[in-house]
CSV table of all heavy atoms in Angstrom, one decimal:
chain,number,residue,atom,x,y,z
A,1,CYS,N,43.2,9.1,31.3
A,1,CYS,CA,43.8,9.3,30.0
A,1,CYS,C,43.7,8.0,29.3
A,1,CYS,O,44.2,7.0,29.7
A,1,CYS,CB,45.3,9.6,30.2
A,1,CYS,SG,46.2,9.7,28.7
A,2,ALA,N,42.9,8.0,28.2
A,2,ALA,CA,42.7,6.9,27.4
A,2,ALA,C,43.6,6.9,26.2
A,2,ALA,O,43.6,7.9,25.4
A,2,ALA,CB,41.2,6.8,26.9
A,3,ALA,N,44.5,5.9,26.0
A,3,ALA,CA,45.4,5.8,25.0
A,3,ALA,C,45.0,4.8,23.9
A,3,ALA,O,44.4,3.8,24.3
A,3,ALA,CB,46.8,5.5,25.5
A,4,SER,N,45.2,5.1,22.7
A,4,SER,CA,44.9,4.2,21.6
A,4,SER,C,46.0,4.2,20.6
A,4,SER,O,46.8,5.1,20.6
A,4,SER,CB,43.5,4.5,21.0
A,4,SER,OG,43.5,5.8,20.5
A,5,GLY,N,45.9,3.2,19.7
A,5,GLY,CA,46.9,3.1,18.6
A,5,GLY,C,48.0,2.1,19.0
A,5,GLY,O,47.7,1.1,19.6
A,6,ARG,N,49.2,2.5,18.7
A,6,ARG,CA,50.3,1.6,19.0
A,6,ARG,C,50.8,1.8,20.5
A,6,ARG,O,51.9,2.2,20.8
A,6,ARG,CB,51.5,1.8,18.1
A,6,ARG,CG,51.1,1.5,16.6
A,6,ARG,CD,52.2,2.0,15.6
A,6,ARG,NE,53.5,1.4,15.9
A,6,ARG,CZ,53.9,0.2,15.4
A,6,ARG,NH1,53.1,-0.5,14.7
A,6,ARG,NH2,55.1,-0.2,15.7
A,7,THR,N,49.9,1.4,21.4
A,7,THR,CA,50.2,1.6,22.8
A,7,THR,C,51.3,0.8,23.3
A,7,THR,O,51.9,1.1,24.4
A,7,THR,CB,48.9,1.4,23.7
A,7,THR,OG1,48.4,0.1,23.5
A,7,THR,CG2,47.8,2.4,23.3
A,8,PHE,N,51.7,-0.3,22.7
A,8,PHE,CA,52.8,-1.1,23.1
A,8,PHE,C,54.1,-0.4,23.0
A,8,PHE,O,55.1,-0.8,23.5
A,8,PHE,CB,52.8,-2.4,22.3
A,8,PHE,CG,53.2,-2.3,20.9
A,8,PHE,CD1,54.5,-2.4,20.4
A,8,PHE,CD2,52.2,-2.2,20.0
A,8,PHE,CE1,54.8,-2.2,19.1
A,8,PHE,CE2,52.4,-2.0,18.6
A,8,PHE,CZ,53.7,-2.1,18.2
A,9,THR,N,54.2,0.7,22.3
A,9,THR,CA,55.4,1.5,22.1
A,9,THR,C,55.5,2.5,23.2
A,9,THR,O,56.6,3.2,23.3
A,9,THR,CB,55.4,2.2,20.8
A,9,THR,OG1,54.4,3.2,20.7
A,9,THR,CG2,55.2,1.3,19.6
A,10,ILE,N,54.6,2.7,24.1
A,10,ILE,CA,54.6,3.6,25.2
A,10,ILE,C,55.6,3.2,26.3
A,10,ILE,O,55.5,2.0,26.7
A,10,ILE,CB,53.2,3.9,25.8
A,10,ILE,CG1,52.3,4.4,24.8
A,10,ILE,CG2,53.4,4.8,27.0
A,10,ILE,CD1,50.8,4.6,25.3
A,11,ILE,N,56.5,4.1,26.7
A,11,ILE,CA,57.5,3.8,27.7
A,11,ILE,C,57.2,4.6,29.0
A,11,ILE,O,57.7,4.3,30.0
A,11,ILE,CB,58.9,3.9,27.3
A,11,ILE,CG1,59.2,5.4,26.9
A,11,ILE,CG2,59.2,3.0,26.1
A,11,ILE,CD1,60.7,5.6,26.5
A,12,ALA,N,56.4,5.6,28.9
A,12,ALA,CA,56.0,6.4,30.0
A,12,ALA,C,54.8,7.3,29.7
A,12,ALA,O,54.6,7.6,28.5
A,12,ALA,CB,57.2,7.3,30.5
A,13,MET,N,54.1,7.7,30.7
A,13,MET,CA,53.0,8.6,30.5
A,13,MET,C,53.1,9.7,31.5
A,13,MET,O,53.4,9.5,32.7
A,13,MET,CB,51.6,7.8,30.8
A,13,MET,CG,50.4,8.7,30.4
A,13,MET,SD,50.2,8.9,28.6
A,13,MET,CE,49.6,7.2,28.1
A,14,ASP,N,52.9,10.9,31.0
A,14,ASP,CA,53.0,12.1,31.8
A,14,ASP,C,51.7,12.8,31.9
A,14,ASP,O,50.9,12.8,30.9
A,14,ASP,CB,54.1,13.1,31.2
A,14,ASP,CG,55.5,12.5,31.2
A,14,ASP,OD1,55.8,11.6,32.0
A,14,ASP,OD2,56.3,13.1,30.5
A,15,TRP,N,51.5,13.5,33.0
A,15,TRP,CA,50.4,14.5,33.1
A,15,TRP,C,51.0,15.9,33.2
A,15,TRP,O,52.0,16.1,33.9
A,15,TRP,CB,49.6,14.2,34.4
A,15,TRP,CG,48.6,13.1,34.2
A,15,TRP,CD1,48.7,11.8,34.6
A,15,TRP,CD2,47.3,13.2,33.6
A,15,TRP,NE1,47.6,11.1,34.3
A,15,TRP,CE2,46.7,11.9,33.7
A,15,TRP,CE3,46.5,14.2,33.0
A,15,TRP,CZ2,45.4,11.6,33.2
A,15,TRP,CZ3,45.3,13.9,32.6
A,15,TRP,CH2,44.7,12.7,32.7
A,16,PHE,N,50.5,16.8,32.5
A,16,PHE,CA,50.8,18.2,32.5
A,16,PHE,C,49.6,19.0,32.8
A,16,PHE,O,48.5,18.5,32.7
A,16,PHE,CB,51.4,18.7,31.2
A,16,PHE,CG,52.7,18.1,30.8
A,16,PHE,CD1,52.9,16.8,30.3
A,16,PHE,CD2,53.9,18.9,31.0
A,16,PHE,CE1,54.1,16.3,30.0
A,16,PHE,CE2,55.1,18.4,30.6
A,16,PHE,CZ,55.2,17.1,30.1
A,17,ARG,N,49.8,20.3,33.2
A,17,ARG,CA,48.7,21.2,33.4
A,17,ARG,C,49.1,22.6,32.9
A,17,ARG,O,50.2,23.0,32.9
A,17,ARG,CB,48.2,21.2,34.8
A,17,ARG,CG,49.2,21.8,35.8
A,17,ARG,CD,48.6,21.6,37.2
A,17,ARG,NE,49.5,22.1,38.2
A,17,ARG,CZ,49.3,22.0,39.6
A,17,ARG,NH1,48.3,21.4,40.0
A,17,ARG,NH2,50.2,22.5,40.4
A,18,GLN,N,48.1,23.4,32.5
A,18,GLN,CA,48.3,24.7,32.1
A,18,GLN,C,47.2,25.6,32.6
A,18,GLN,O,46.0,25.4,32.2
A,18,GLN,CB,48.4,24.8,30.6
A,18,GLN,CG,48.8,26.1,30.0
A,18,GLN,CD,49.1,26.1,28.5
A,18,GLN,OE1,48.6,25.2,27.8
A,18,GLN,NE2,49.9,27.0,28.1
A,19,ALA,N,47.6,26.6,33.4
A,19,ALA,CA,46.6,27.6,33.9
A,19,ALA,C,46.6,28.8,32.9
A,19,ALA,O,47.6,29.0,32.2
A,19,ALA,CB,47.0,28.0,35.3
A,20,PRO,N,45.5,29.6,32.9
A,20,PRO,CA,45.5,30.7,32.0
A,20,PRO,C,46.7,31.6,32.2
A,20,PRO,O,47.0,32.0,33.4
A,20,PRO,CB,44.2,31.4,32.4
A,20,PRO,CG,43.3,30.3,32.9
A,20,PRO,CD,44.3,29.4,33.6
A,21,GLY,N,47.3,32.0,31.1
A,21,GLY,CA,48.4,32.9,31.2
A,21,GLY,C,49.7,32.3,31.6
A,21,GLY,O,50.7,33.1,31.8
A,22,LYS,N,49.8,31.0,31.8
A,22,LYS,CA,51.0,30.4,32.3
A,22,LYS,C,51.4,29.3,31.3
A,22,LYS,O,50.6,28.8,30.5
A,22,LYS,CB,50.8,29.7,33.7
A,22,LYS,CG,50.4,30.7,34.8
A,22,LYS,CD,50.3,30.1,36.1
A,22,LYS,CE,51.7,29.5,36.6
A,22,LYS,NZ,51.6,29.0,38.0
A,23,GLU,N,52.7,28.9,31.4
A,23,GLU,CA,53.2,27.9,30.6
A,23,GLU,C,52.7,26.5,31.1
A,23,GLU,O,52.4,26.3,32.2
A,23,GLU,CB,54.7,27.9,30.6
A,23,GLU,CG,55.3,29.1,29.9
A,23,GLU,CD,55.1,29.1,28.4
A,23,GLU,OE1,55.1,28.1,27.8
A,23,GLU,OE2,54.8,30.2,27.9
A,24,ARG,N,52.6,25.6,30.1
A,24,ARG,CA,52.3,24.2,30.5
A,24,ARG,C,53.4,23.6,31.4
A,24,ARG,O,54.6,23.8,31.1
A,24,ARG,CB,52.1,23.4,29.3
A,24,ARG,CG,51.4,22.0,29.5
A,24,ARG,CD,50.9,21.4,28.2
A,24,ARG,NE,49.9,22.3,27.6
A,24,ARG,CZ,49.2,22.0,26.5
A,24,ARG,NH1,49.5,20.8,25.9
A,24,ARG,NH2,48.3,22.8,26.0
A,25,GLU,N,53.0,23.0,32.5
A,25,GLU,CA,54.0,22.5,33.4
A,25,GLU,C,53.8,21.0,33.7
A,25,GLU,O,52.7,20.5,33.7
A,25,GLU,CB,54.0,23.3,34.8
A,25,GLU,CG,52.7,23.1,35.6
A,25,GLU,CD,52.7,23.8,36.9
A,25,GLU,OE1,53.8,24.4,37.3
A,25,GLU,OE2,51.7,23.7,37.7
């Protein structure tokens, strides 16, 4: 995951995933 911009404001990074027909989890 490449982040750009005001990255100094980031306090956490999350990974999510979404399978076909399912909600993002």
Side-chain angles (χ1 to χ4, degrees):
C1 175
S4 60
R6 296 171 59 86
T7 57
F8 67 91
T9 66
I10 298 174
I11 61 173
M13 189 72 76
D14 295 340
W15 282 97
F16 291 78
R17 65 185 181 186
Q18 186 170 23
K22 299 184 67 177
E23 294 293 322
R24 192 164 299 183
E25 68 174 357

